[in-house]
Amino acid sequence: MICMKQLKRVYARANLEPLSAVHTIDFTIKAGDFICIIGKSGSGKSTLLNMLVGLLRPTSGEILIDGIDLWSLTERDMAKLRSSKFGYIPQGPSLLSNLTVLDNVRLPFCMANKKGSGIESAVKLLEEMGIKELMDRYPSELSGGEMRRAAIARALINNPEILIADEPTSDLDEETTKEVMRVFSKINSKGTTILMVTHEYDITRYGNRLCIMSSGKLVEKYDLD
């Protein structure tokens, strides 16, 4: 589904050597994969994800989505591809402060011009995330973990073909982490491809492929034990 060819991202720095955040990655994500990427802070994981979802332009190389060069598209066509293919869970707070939790979750549904209001699907996802009772609250009234669960629900509202998650369980307790990973496993078993970045080695057991990222380089670990 996704093919990265010679993918690089270099940051220019005043009076310093350029910083190579992502260094010459060749990697293929197949339909139905559940890939976990683990690595230290600053290893390039978030930079890689931001390029894959079209938020950050690579310095060089290609990202092919079902054979389509992502960065050859116009902004409009790229936005259409994102809304039809991707669910994205960014790192850190991402909810809109002027919308309720329910409206935050159903926002991608409305932006995709689908029929209906998306309310029923949004409520069901919030129930799965264990925060249905908070659907009429605003982000300022939520804890960090509750906001994270709402962001996960929002990423799933359009039944994405590819779910890209940047530290999706970083603000969650152990039991909620297990609940979220069970949801991920369930949607993966139904065909959704997942690419997840995490610091938590324990949850990589939910995936079928494990990669290590270090100094901008991505290496697949074939022995998962």
Side-chain angles (χ1 to χ4, degrees), residues 153-206:
R154 182 181 61 186
L156 297 175
I157 189 68
N158 284 337
N159 298 311
E161 293 182 32
I162 308 166
L163 178 65
I164 295 183
D166 193 353
E167 300 282 358
T169 60
S170 60
D171 300 315
L172 306 180
D173 59 42
E174 183 177 355
E175 188 55 39
T176 306
T177 293
K178 289 179 181 178
E179 291 173 6
V180 169
M181 295 313 299
R182 282 194 286 268
V183 171
F184 281 16
S185 293
K186 181 180 178 181
I187 64 172
N188 179 244
S189 70
K190 293 181 177 180
T192 299
T193 303
I194 299 176
L195 177 63
M196 179 180 73
V197 158
T198 182
H199 278 110
E200 301 173 67
Y201 194 87
D202 287 350
I203 67 174
T204 62
R205 63 186 174 85
Y206 289 91

Side-chain angles (χ1 to χ4, degrees), residues 84-171:
S84 64
K85 292 282 186 183
F86 291 108
Y88 180 45
I89 305 166
Q91 192 175 29
S94 61
L95 301 182
L96 298 181
S97 61
N98 61 326
L99 296 181
T100 64
V101 169
L102 178 64
D103 286 343
N104 263 287
V105 171
R106 70 189 190 94
L107 181 62
F109 183 95
C110 298
M111 293 180 67
N113 294 319
K114 294 190 173 185
K115 292 182 180 180
S117 65
I119 291 176
E120 185 177 345
S121 297
V123 170
K124 183 178 179 180
L125 284 167
L126 288 170
E127 186 172 16
E128 288 186 6
M129 292 295 118
I131 55 171
K132 179 183 175 182
E133 72 280 3
L134 300 176
M135 64 181 178
D136 293 323
R137 300 295 182 110
Y138 288 87
S140 61
E141 302 175 272
L142 273 55
S143 68
E146 289 164 347
M147 286 193 286
R148 173 62 52 168
R149 282 182 273 177
I152 293 170
R154 182 181 61 186
L156 297 175
I157 189 68
N158 284 337
N159 298 311
E161 293 182 32
I162 308 166
L163 178 65
I164 295 183
D166 193 353
E167 300 282 358
T169 60
S170 60
D171 300 315

Side-chain angles (χ1 to χ4, degrees), residues 70-89:
L70 179 65
W71 285 97
S72 70
L73 300 175
T74 64
E75 286 290 334
R76 184 181 181 87
D77 288 340
M78 189 184 292
K80 287 181 179 178
L81 182 66
R82 276 200 300 260
S83 65
S84 64
K85 292 282 186 183
F86 291 108
Y88 180 45
I89 305 166

